[in-house]
Amino acid sequence: MDDGAREAGDPSVRPGGRGPVLELVLYAESRAGFLVRTEGAAILPLRSPVERAGHGETAGEGLGPLVVRTAKDRFGLDVDYLGLLAAESGERRRLTVCAVARGPQEFPAAGGRTRLLSMADLEARGDEVDRAALFATALSWYHASVVARELPHRVREAVDRSLLYLENHRSIEDGRWGWNLYMITLFRGGRPVMALVVDPLLEREFVATDAANGGASSRGAAAACPPVPLRRSTVSLVTNYSAAGRVWGERMHGVLGGRCKRILSMWAPALDLALISTGQLDGMICHEGGLLDVGGGMLLVAAAGGHVLDLSGAPLAAHRSMYGRPVSFVAAGSPELARELLDVARSA
């Protein structure tokens, strides 16, 4: 296989030439190596002049389709475009892009101007590789593309397993399902990245995602609701199931009852937090709850612009390290109400 590059007479690499050069850092998935060209002792990416689009093609097709078309026309390979690695302007116009040839395809035998080299080979011959860091970056992008391809399947599998668990552990009492609320929370790196709370009784669901820690999104709108003072608030009070928890709850109920409009105790903290995220409930005090009961709900509140504070007054986000130990906090749609609830919680 010829890489299609012209020598010094190539007008595409001269000042005033016809256009930029396209350099292709190409990873061959089935061979776990890069397809490169050699010039003496130098190891370089594949190269091709950028051709102008023909009459039957779209002149403004974009870089991705251009890379796919060029790889097919010049090298006979089907590739997926991954991204732009580098761009140079001026006399030597050059675009260096990253792509992957997935699946079994015909590649040239080693020994010619074009050959396959693994990342280990490239690292061992680092002095000979032109801009070696680009190959390492391209390999990272390839690994990321594999994860991105598999992510929908992984999420679907996690959800299916969770629903199967619920199905296997349901019970029927007095002709009714024993489970009346579903909560699924997906964790990544210890933090929740997706939360789903389903209330089948009223056929409603609450969803939030936080794919990049800070890029949270939710169907809720806690922050959009006008602040409600504690004296006009409906507040959920949640405690654990221990005898000490019930004693604390009774004491807190007496303190809170004289300061807010209404107290709810639904014994469904995930749903309580979901309702705070949509503005249907004003706030919540949780005393020594469990991560599995509150983790997804905390993400719902935060993603909707609400506020969750620990008892020291610091913002609190769910983390897998909380599993197995009690979690106490206050939650509200507004920072003002969260502070008022914090004062009450500390007084008990």
Side-chain angles (χ1 to χ4, degrees):
M1 177 185 293
D2 184 7
D3 65 6
R6 300 183 181 125
E7 300 301 332
D10 183 354
S12 67
V13 298
R14 297 199 312 254
R18 292 181 301 182
V21 169
L22 183 68
E23 284 193 335
L24 189 60
V25 179
L26 180 63
Y27 186 77
E29 183 177 58
S30 63
R31 304 289 290 275
F34 288 92
L35 188 59
V36 299
R37 64 190 179 92
T38 58
E39 289 185 2
I43 299 172
L44 306 97
L46 301 182
R47 177 187 291 173
S48 173
V50 175
E51 302 289 352
R52 293 183 181 275
H55 293 295
E57 298 167 341
T58 304
E61 61 183 336
L63 187 54
L66 173 64
V67 170
V68 172
R69 176 168 60 84
T70 300
K72 186 67 173 178
D73 294 346
R74 305 287 293 188
F75 310 114
L77 296 172
D78 295 317
V79 308
D80 292 342
Y81 170 69
L82 297 185
L84 177 66
L85 289 167
E88 297 180 41
S89 57
E91 291 185 354
R92 184 181 181 88
R93 289 181 290 171
R94 176 168 59 180
L95 298 174
T96 305
V97 300
C98 172
V100 55
R102 300 193 190 274
Q105 300 189 50
E106 291 295 326
F107 298 103
R113 287 191 63 201
T114 309
R115 59 190 303 183
L116 279 161
L117 293 176
S118 68
M119 193 66 219
D121 294 332
L122 293 172
E123 291 174 346
R125 301 173 61 176
D127 293 341
E128 304 169 30
V129 181
D130 180 42
R131 293 171 299 163
L134 295 181
F135 289 90
T137 300
L139 185 60
S140 296
W141 287 7
Y142 163 70
H143 290 153
S145 74
V146 172
V147 173
R149 265 193 310 169
E150 297 177 352
L151 187 58
H153 170 72
R154 291 182 180 181
V155 171
R156 180 71 262 173
E157 185 180 48
V159 172
D160 287 345
R161 286 183 177 180
S162 297
L163 292 177
L164 180 62
Y165 176 86
L166 293 175
E167 181 72 13
N168 290 338
H169 289 76
R170 68 186 181 183
S171 62
I172 301 178
E173 298 176 3
D174 300 327
R176 296 174 296 175
W177 292 111
W179 289 90
N180 59 2
L181 177 70
Y182 301 150
M183 182 185 74
I184 298 173
T185 307
L186 298 182
F187 286 80
R188 183 182 182 213
R191 295 191 177 278
V193 294
M194 188 190 81
L196 169 65
V197 175
V198 179
D199 177 7
L201 183 63
L202 297 181
E203 297 183 347
R204 54 186 175 176
E205 65 178 37
F206 309 83
V207 180
T209 59
D210 186 9
N213 291 330
S217 63
S218 169
R219 296 179 191 172
C225 299
V228 178
L230 179 59
R231 67 179 184 280
R232 293 196 290 111
S233 295
T234 299
V235 179
S236 168
L237 181 59
V238 175
T239 67
N240 60 27
Y241 298 107
S242 68
R246 288 195 293 271
V247 170
W248 186 95
E250 291 174 0
R251 185 167 66 249
M252 176 54 62
H253 196 284
V255 174
L256 185 60
R259 301 183 61 178
C260 71
K261 179 180 179 180
R262 185 183 297 111
I263 299 175
L264 294 181
S265 294
M266 296 191 294
W267 297 97
L271 182 58
D272 293 337
L273 290 163
L275 294 176
I276 292 174
S277 76
T278 59
Q280 299 174 69
L281 185 62
D282 299 311
M284 174 182 181
I285 296 177
C286 178
H287 175 71
E288 296 188 350
L291 176 64
L292 297 183
D293 293 324
V294 300
M298 292 168 69
L299 176 59
L300 284 167
V301 173
H307 301 268
V308 181
L309 306 177
D310 65 21
L311 297 188
S312 73
L316 180 65
H319 193 277
R320 188 173 290 153
S321 61
M322 297 176 179
Y323 181 74
R325 57 188 179 89
V327 182
S328 299
F329 61 88
V330 300
S334 69
E336 295 86 357
L337 180 56
R339 288 292 175 185
E340 287 190 271
L341 290 174
L342 184 63
D343 291 339
V344 176
R346 287 170 170 172
S347 67

